[in-house]
Amino acid sequence: MKRVLVVGGGGREHALVRALLRSPERPDLLAAPGNTGIARDRVPCFDVGAEDVDGLVRLARDEDAGLVVVGPEAPLVAGLVDALGDAGVRAFGPSAAAARIEGSKAYAKDLMRSVGVPTASYMVLRSRDEAEAQLPCASYPAVLKADVLAAGKGVIICEDEAEARAAVDAFFGQKRFGETEVVLEEHLVGEELSLLALCDGERAVPMAPAQDYKRIFDGDQGPNTGGMGSYSPVPGIDSDHARALALAIHQPVVDELRRRGAPYHGVLYAGLMMTADGPRTLEFNCRFGDPETQAILPRLRSDLLDLLERATEPGGLQDVEIEWSPRWAVTVVLASRGYPESSSKGDTIRGLSSIDSINTEVLHAGTAERGGQLVTAGGRVLNVTGLGGDPAEAREAAYAGADVIEFEGKQVRRDIAARAVVRLAAL
Ligand code: AMP
Ligand code: GLY
């Protein structure tokens, strides 16, 4: 039997585990470090951190894993896939050289510019002095981004120069993200779209489109988070449109990285802004999106294991058509008190057992077990995905589930996919 090790321990990895459990190949799954939900699905979880490259290589060899599926970006950027390759273990995900597309925003921006992928105009600010000299000339709102992995939280949208000065102080003065350069970017307006593509080093095959919600409060207010909800598909983005976008956005990057000797294998996630002047790329990620994956994978009809294995082979995805259920999926994130600035731990979680499991999938992110009780253990605690024949039905299922789960300080955005309902009706 095929043994597959999933690396990571969030809602995204729980979604990957669930989709792999649906594979007709019935693989033997393992996770490191996994989480309480993954363990409750009877998948053995090993106490090896997702960033412990040596420990993960040892685990993969000891457990005779035939495939390692890497969820988070940090181990990819740190070279986990390269280290596994050196040890003779097949892994899904890009090499460190290819993962730089997420690891450095400045590198990604330069690469996009060199191959003509549309993106917001930008400049790299290398010091506080350089930043302060530029701020009076920038047009506002302006966007400032730390050039480090910051789990989606290193982006500050500044309405005016005073806010930009405060942001510059946070980056260069307080060093909130450590030593980092900062990217100053034009502020774009439009609908955001997350388009993930599976890549085999040569070709980018788009997955179903999704949209996520980055701000903590309804109506896109408050600070950015890792993601408070998502839905898939997206009104107005049919499969032809998704293919055209992947040809214009992902494929030039895949071609260029291959030319540079760093072929991209894995999933390439483009965060797009659909502006009045056409799509613009906000960022590339070298991994599945969280929480987009929780809305995308429940709709996948093809065998995820087969797709991931194909992506590890040069040209392995040739002629592959990914099949999707026509159902809609809406994912609502349940976050703990204080998120995203902090998070609260140890609050008892109730109500999970009363959820209708036919049209909802509950995935764990920051949970733990204490004395047989489920408790909170992180910022994003649980994800509830609802499925339905249209976005309204899927929302209803997701919120019905999210509302029966209770814990002290629970934060839930109430407007996930609300726009999808309206936009679909207007098409
Ligand atoms: P990023 O990590 O670069 O994707 O940025 C996180 C979020 O900040 C994005 O999903 C957008 O909501 C917002 N954002 C980033 N860049 C821009 C931009 N140039 N214009 C408007 N919003 C942006
Ligand atoms: N949902 C945003 C991300 O995964 O980066």
Side-chain angles (χ1 to χ4, degrees):
M1 196 191 289
K2 210 167 271 168
R3 287 171 75 74
V4 179
L5 170 64
V6 175
V7 173
R12 164 184 53 209
E13 287 75 22
H14 197 183
L16 285 163
V17 162
R18 284 277 171 90
L20 289 167
L21 286 171
R22 292 191 284 265
S23 166
E25 285 193 60
R26 305 205 151 271
D28 210 2
L29 295 185
L30 319 162
N35 66 32
T36 308
I38 293 173
R40 286 185 172 190
D41 285 345
R42 298 174 198 283
V43 171
C45 294
F46 292 82
D47 189 17
V48 180
E51 294 177 31
D52 178 359
V53 170
D54 294 341
L56 290 166
V57 172
R58 224 173 303 125
L59 177 67
R61 294 190 67 158
D62 290 351
E63 291 297 323
D64 200 20
L67 178 71
V68 177
V69 179
V70 186
E73 61 276 17
L76 294 166
V77 172
L80 175 58
V81 169
D82 311 68
L84 287 164
D86 292 344
V89 181
R90 176 142 77 145
F92 173 85
S95 64
R100 263 190 97 191
I101 193 85
E102 174 166 1
S104 164
K105 287 189 189 290
Y107 172 81
K109 280 291 204 178
D110 289 342
L111 193 144
M112 283 188 251
R113 182 145 66 184
S114 74
V115 296
V117 168
T119 184
S121 62
Y122 70 101
M123 67 191 323
V124 180
L125 305 172
R126 295 195 165 77
S127 67
R128 184 170 196 147
D129 286 349
E130 205 177 304
E132 282 176 349
Q134 288 306 326
L135 296 188
C137 338
S139 52
Y140 292 93
V143 183
L144 287 169
K145 300 183 177 184
D147 195 13
V148 289
L149 292 181
K153 296 171 202 156
V155 176
I156 305 183
I157 296 173
C158 309
E159 294 301 328
D160 53 34
E161 196 181 322
E163 285 187 23
R165 284 193 184 281
V168 162
D169 184 56
F171 289 134
F172 290 113
Q174 303 159 27
K175 302 213 185 294
R176 197 184 292 166
F177 299 96
E179 283 304 326
T180 175
E181 296 184 341
V182 170
V183 173
L184 167 64
E185 203 173 87
E186 159 198 20
H187 182 257
L188 297 172
V189 179
E191 284 287 334
E192 280 188 57
L193 177 70
S194 300
L195 188 63
L196 284 62
L198 289 175
C199 303
D200 62 8
E202 297 173 8
R203 198 168 290 97
V205 183
M207 303 188 78
Q211 195 170 58
D212 85 338
Y213 290 74
K214 293 222 167 67
R215 305 288 197 103
I216 182 77
F217 300 129
D218 286 25
D220 292 331
Q221 302 295 312
N224 267 351
T225 68
M228 289 299 291
S230 61
Y231 65 87
S232 174
V234 175
I237 313 290
D238 61 15
S239 55
D240 286 345
H241 195 169
R243 258 195 293 273
L245 286 169
L247 269 183
I249 311 275
H250 303 70
Q251 191 62 47
V253 170
V254 170
D255 291 342
E256 177 64 11
L257 288 175
R258 185 176 173 206
R259 198 186 65 75
R260 294 185 185 183
Y264 196 99
H265 292 269
V267 63
L268 180 60
Y269 161 143
L272 305 175
M273 188 73 90
M274 307 302 278
T275 75
D277 302 321
R280 298 283 182 275
T281 308
L282 295 178
E283 63 165 351
F284 282 110
N285 293 321
C286 63
R287 48 156 178 95
F288 283 100
D290 188 344
E292 290 93 328
T293 305
Q294 292 88 312
I296 291 173
L297 291 184
R299 305 185 50 242
L300 179 67
R301 278 192 172 154
S302 307
D303 174 9
L304 180 66
L305 179 56
D306 176 57
L307 292 173
L308 300 186
E309 284 184 325
R310 284 173 179 277
T312 68
E313 304 283 348
L317 289 166
Q318 192 161 19
D319 303 325
V320 163
E321 285 282 338
I322 308 179
E323 285 183 44
W324 300 98
S325 155
R327 295 216 290 171
W328 290 72
V330 172
T331 300
V332 175
V333 171
L334 280 57
S336 71
R337 184 181 29 225
Y339 185 73
E341 284 84 7
S342 63
S343 62
S344 109
K345 291 190 172 54
D347 296 310
T348 303
I349 301 170
R350 296 192 175 82
L352 236 62
S353 54
S354 30
I355 286 185
D356 143 43
S357 58
I358 296 175
N359 291 316
T360 43
E361 182 168 67
V362 178
L363 300 167
H364 292 234
T367 60
E369 257 168 24
R370 208 179 51 190
Q373 279 267 16
L374 195 66
V375 297
T376 61
R380 291 190 287 177
V381 177
L382 289 159
N383 311 140
V384 182
T385 298
L387 291 156
D390 60 39
E393 222 177 87
R395 284 190 87 218
E396 207 169 298
Y399 281 109
D403 289 344
V404 300
I405 300 174
E406 285 180 34
F407 56 86
E408 188 63 32
K410 177 177 91 171
Q411 300 192 74
V412 174
R413 266 186 71 158
R414 305 302 315 181
D415 61 347
I416 305 303
R419 275 203 314 271
V421 177
V422 177
R423 286 172 65 208
L424 189 69
L427 282 180

